[in-house]
Amino acid sequence: MTQPQSKAALLFRRKPVEGQGAPSSQPDEPELKRSIGTFQLTLFGVGATVGTGIFYILPEAVPQAGPAVIVSFLIAGLAAGLAAICYAEMAAAVPVSGSSYSYAYATLGEVVAVGVGACLLLEYGVSASATAVGWAQYVNQLLYNVFDYRLPAELTATPWDSTPGWFNLPALVLVFLCCVLLIRGASESALVNTVMVIIKLAVLVLFIAIAFTAFTADHFADFVPAETGFSGITSAAAVIFFTFIGLDAVSTAGDEVKNPQKAMPRAILAALSIVVTIYLLTAIAAIGAQSWQEFGAPDQQEAGLAKIVENVVGASWPGTLLSIGAVISIFSVTLVVLYGQTRILFAMGRDGLLPAMFAKVNRKTMTPVNNTIVVSVIVGLLAAIVPLDKLIDLVSIGTLVAFIVVSVGVIVLRQTAPDLHRPFRVPLYPVTPVLAVAACIWILSGLHWYTFVWFALWVGVAMLFYVFWGRHHSKLNHPPTDTVRFEKGVS
């Protein structure tokens, strides 16, 4: 007879890997529909990663590193890539919705999974709100460029901004549009995201092509400026790293992907390759077209890439083009981030760690409609009336903690389930996951102290909810008698 576990042991009970993809405990509830292919999933990762950051990061990063900002991009890409490779193995071994929450549940235990779930909800919620807030700026700029019209300040600012308004109307419109798409279905959302990602990549490729027509090799002569040195390269890498955040969004789609054990690792690595290539080419083209000393000019801070191509072609139309790229970028980022948020809630609800309403799937659309509405209302309200400047670092800390947990999870799962079928395995194990953890800790060390305080308060609230409610309703209190083994694949 199995001996009862202590209360402390119950906190760290792990969800069996064999059961990670088991059907919902409610037999009459339909499953999420497997409708997303590898190509669409790859563009999920690209869509969530290539946001407005690359359009405006260079004026901040180049003055710190000079032409060696190219090395900074490589360092940041390597740090993100190490974590992405760990995600690829975990996604192949545990191919379900929930991202690092589900991976933590399988490797580090229930209480850790709840903490990671809280990190992800914070990361995705604040990120979606912040990107929706930024949409107003770019929509306004686009309206001005095309129609010589701007929305009134009352409809583009919150009551607590430096220039107070009523509410941020464009942010509400963006969240509403994303909500409608997500309710209609995952395949429809993936299709729209695919179109938007292709458009914004085309805008960046056009920038690269135009900038290369004015390429000057002399701009790379003082490759590592004496006044900045290697410390400037690392400082720029820390800034640039956050333009790579979003690759983990691929791993939230496990229950809706065709052949997830093969598709998910392929999509993660393909998205990483596309993002790194586009970022490097953008940086090389920008510095080749403009001396690195000019990136610190005041007019560069807001114009970003647009100013460079305007100078190259001697016309203002690139500003309009880049505004279109930024508007589309924010739309696709917000769409994928909201999608990820709803699927994390679905996974936690299915496990009994959140109320059962979060595990319900609409029979017609085969999407978690309840989750989508709840997330959209909260994100929309935050974006419309709450200034989020001080909270944006919480996106970074939530992401980095998730990266660390996944990297550690690879090591733990190799020890606890060495015979588990892994269609993709981390190369240079265990060096790769150890380096991934070290890179994330290094970047964490650069965050402000108050970010850690807010983060600790949020996770503390999640732990209280778990202790007083979640652990009593966990499905592991009544484990199912049947399981689905991943070694045989998931159809």
Side-chain angles (χ1 to χ4, degrees), residues 67-68 70 215-224 283-289:
I70 296 168
F215 188 88
T216 302
D218 290 344
H219 291 168
F220 295 86
D222 188 17
F223 192 71
V224 182
I284 294 170
I287 296 173

Side-chain angles (χ1 to χ4, degrees), residues 395-407:
V395 175
S396 304
I397 196 171
T399 302
L400 290 166
V401 169
F403 282 6
I404 290 171
V405 167
V406 171
S407 302

Side-chain angles (χ1 to χ4, degrees), residues 15-21 85-96 99 102-103 106-107 251 259-265 268 406 409-410 412-414 416-426 484-490:
K15 186 174 181 180
V17 175
E18 298 83 16
Q20 284 279 345
I85 289 170
C86 293
Y87 266 96
E89 175 166 326
M90 291 300 291
V94 190
V96 294
S99 185
S102 295
Y103 307 154
T107 58
S251 61
N259 195 8
Q261 287 186 292
K262 292 183 178 179
M264 291 179 70
I268 291 170
V406 171
V410 168
V412 171
L413 198 60
R414 287 282 188 103
T416 58
D419 298 326
L420 183 67
H421 177 56
R422 294 171 171 85
F424 176 85
R425 299 173 72 90
V426 167
V484 176
R485 299 190 65 85
F486 287 146
E487 291 87 341
K488 298 178 181 179
V490 180

Side-chain angles (χ1 to χ4, degrees), residues 235-309:
S235 297
V239 172
I240 291 168
F241 174 82
F242 301 115
T243 65
F244 285 91
I245 288 176
L247 289 169
D248 58 324
V250 171
S251 61
T252 65
D255 283 311
E256 292 163 285
V257 177
K258 304 171 186 175
N259 195 8
Q261 287 186 292
K262 292 183 178 179
M264 291 179 70
R266 288 174 181 172
I268 291 170
L269 298 178
L272 174 67
S273 300
I274 292 170
V275 171
V276 170
T277 301
I278 287 291
Y279 283 6
L280 281 175
L281 288 175
T282 300
I284 294 170
I287 296 173
Q290 176 176 282
S291 171
W292 73 268
Q293 291 90 345
E294 297 178 46
F295 280 86
D299 62 347
Q300 285 282 328
Q301 299 304 314
E302 293 186 2
L305 302 184
K307 187 66 176 177
I308 297 173
V309 287

